[in-house]
Amino acid sequence: MTEVLLKELSNNDINWIVANSHQRNLTPGSVLIQSGKTVDSLYVLLDGMLTVSIPQSGDSLLNRAFAAIDSSVNSGWEIDRLSRGEVVGEVPFVNTRPSVTTIKALEKSLIMSIPQEKLATKLQQDAGFSSRFYRAIAIMFLDRLQSIISQLGRRNLTQSKSLKDMLFVLAELHDSDIDWMMACGVPQKIPANQVVIYETGSVDALYIILGGKMSLYVFEDERNPLVRAFAAIEGNEIIGREIARLSKGEIVGETPFLDGRLPSTTVKAIEDSIALSIPRQQLAVKLQQDLGFSSRFYRVIAMLISNRLQEILSQIGYGRRVYSQGLSLDKNVEYEDELNLGILDKMTLAGKRFDWMLERIKIA
């Protein structure tokens, strides 16, 4: 992961980052990012080592005390150690949720800090920079997601995605983007139990789920992926660990558009579903020729992977303040899952776009 920025960004991009950043020293044990707190900068680790942990809950008074004060590293589970070249603080650029991890210096470290406001302005004004930046961020999120899944072993992480995530995605796209996808895409009916994507198999299209539900599996055994693929074709049961359930608005098959790696999971329909299939070759050409579309596309992919990662981390950490019936609605009380008026306006527009998509393919 340490080479992602250097590989994805141009020399001019890197020069801009250096010119608009400042360096900062961290002493061992100092907290750079606190779980549940806002982050105002993007950080690049130049030297030293950082540790990433998730606050944990438990039944003991001690664990509850740690969860209440939300600051002691002893209350967290270390999920990663970051070395020179790693990037942190990127979540606010693709996700409205606060970070669920705490990041602190494990030893004396040197970081480069880029103010969030400056970077946000650059991303709005420079489509080429934006495209390369969001692609790099998506690759980093994918690396972290695959790492955390491999660490968790057989732990049950099945989660159901909500329509809200899809609305966030559509809110980021332009009408012209959706027009192009609808023109190039082909609606496909996918019967229950059919495998859409095989682990380590080739991917011929990007799929946007428009109806039904699919499941995401990782395999526990060491059998050859080809053997597993033939077993699935012959109707034999796929033996794997379900890590997520996907529904309307989810995108699958995005991995080849990031860094060419083969998919690390198998995607299977668990009920009759319908998806918009966008051919890989046509999408690849569009991403090369249209920088504006490319920027928005990679931002959407980064958002989706970030959402999957944040959901898993939230499950294995302790819960945050979210609204439930009966809690105070006082304007001075803030919940992590509440949406501001600006986001609500965008989601209303996104809902209309989704209805229009369904109408276009006559499945509404």
Side-chain angles (χ1 to χ4, degrees):
M1 194 187 303
T2 57
E3 298 179 355
V4 171
L5 280 183
L6 291 177
K7 288 174 62 177
E8 297 298 326
L9 299 184
S10 69
N11 289 337
N12 287 337
D13 297 336
I14 295 172
N15 289 338
W16 182 90
I17 289 175
V18 172
N20 288 274
S21 63
H22 64 274
Q23 295 186 8
R24 172 181 162 192
N25 288 298
L26 297 178
T27 57
S30 59
V31 175
L32 179 63
I33 295 176
Q34 178 67 59
S35 172
K37 305 296 183 182
T38 57
V39 181
D40 59 7
S41 296
L42 183 80
Y43 304 103
V44 180
L45 180 59
L46 300 179
D47 195 21
M49 184 169 290
L50 304 176
T51 179
V52 184
S53 62
I54 307 173
Q56 295 285 284
S57 63
D59 294 327
S60 71
L61 288 174
L62 183 60
N63 279 337
R64 288 201 296 269
F66 280 138
I69 61 176
D70 194 27
S71 61
S72 172
V73 297
N74 294 324
S75 64
W77 169 41
E78 183 181 78
I79 60 170
D80 203 0
R81 290 191 176 187
L82 309 179
S83 55
R84 186 165 53 186
E86 298 278 1
V87 177
V88 295
E90 72 282 6
V91 171
F93 294 96
V94 295
N95 203 315
T96 58
R97 306 173 186 176
S99 172
V100 298
T101 58
T102 292
I103 300 175
K104 66 161 194 164
L106 195 62
E107 58 186 44
K108 184 178 179 181
S109 302
L110 177 66
I111 61 168
M112 182 168 64
S113 174
I114 308 148
Q116 185 180 125
E117 187 175 347
K118 281 188 178 181
L119 184 53
T121 300
K122 176 69 171 175
L123 290 168
Q124 289 179 346
Q125 296 176 346
D126 188 336
F129 174 85
S130 178
S131 175
R132 293 183 290 272
F133 174 83
Y134 284 123
R135 178 183 167 111
I137 294 302
I139 292 171
M140 292 178 190
F141 280 136
L142 184 59
D143 286 338
R144 291 169 188 170
L145 179 62
Q146 292 180 349
S147 174
I148 195 68
I149 288 173
S150 66
Q151 288 185 56
L152 292 173
R154 294 181 175 272
R155 187 163 182 170
N156 182 14
L157 290 173
T158 302
Q159 47 182 294
S160 295
K161 304 301 293 182
S162 68
L163 189 61
K164 184 178 75 172
D165 288 335
M166 177 277 298
L167 294 179
F168 276 123
V169 168
L170 287 183
E172 296 300 319
L173 299 176
H174 289 182
D175 288 341
S176 59
D177 300 335
I178 298 173
D179 280 337
W180 182 87
M181 290 190 293
M182 293 298 297
C184 291
V186 178
Q188 287 190 1
K189 292 183 178 179
I190 303 170
N193 298 317
Q194 179 173 312
V195 175
V196 179
I197 294 174
Y198 290 99
E199 176 190 350
T200 70
S202 62
V203 180
D204 298 324
L206 183 82
Y207 299 92
I208 303 176
I209 303 173
L210 299 177
K213 287 185 174 61
M214 298 186 186
S215 190
L216 209 61
Y217 289 91
V218 291
F219 287 93
E220 310 286 4
D221 59 38
E222 299 297 328
R223 288 186 299 167
N224 186 293
L226 187 60
V227 174
R228 293 199 296 264
F230 280 121
I233 292 172
E234 293 170 357
N236 296 330
E237 182 181 1
I238 295 179
I239 302 174
R241 176 164 53 96
E242 184 182 42
I243 60 171
R245 290 198 172 183
L246 314 176
S247 56
K248 285 183 180 180
E250 272 286 345
I251 295 176
V252 294
E254 75 282 359
T255 304
F257 298 98
L258 296 178
D259 57 2
R261 76 182 76 181
L262 296 174
S264 60
T265 57
T266 290
V267 181
K268 175 184 175 182
I270 55 177
E271 62 182 47
D272 290 344
S273 304
I274 187 165
L276 185 68
S277 171
I278 304 172
R280 177 177 175 178
Q281 187 173 4
Q282 287 180 262
L283 181 54
V285 172
K286 177 70 170 176
L287 289 170
Q288 289 181 343
Q289 296 178 344
D290 188 337
L291 286 179
F293 174 83
S294 177
S295 170
R296 294 183 292 274
F297 174 84
Y298 286 122
R299 175 174 166 80
V300 162
I301 297 302
M303 288 175 66
L304 287 174
I305 299 175
S306 173
N307 283 342
R308 293 171 191 168
L309 178 60
Q310 296 291 308
E311 287 288 344
I312 289 177
L313 295 178
S314 294
Q315 280 187 284
I316 59 181
Y318 64 80
R320 297 291 179 176
R321 173 180 276 184
V322 296
Y323 179 76
S324 60
Q325 188 173 2
L327 293 179
S328 172
L329 288 174
D330 189 283
K331 66 179 181 180
N332 295 320
V333 178
E334 184 175 350
Y335 299 97
E336 291 193 4
D337 57 344
E338 68 180 280
L339 303 174
N340 62 43
L341 292 178
I343 293 177
L344 285 173
D345 287 342
K346 292 178 71 174
M347 290 183 68
T348 299
L349 174 61
K352 293 179 180 178
R353 285 174 172 168
F354 189 69
D355 290 340
W356 175 77
M357 289 176 68
L358 296 180
E359 181 64 27
R360 282 275 300 269
I361 60 175
K362 298 180 180 179
I363 66 167

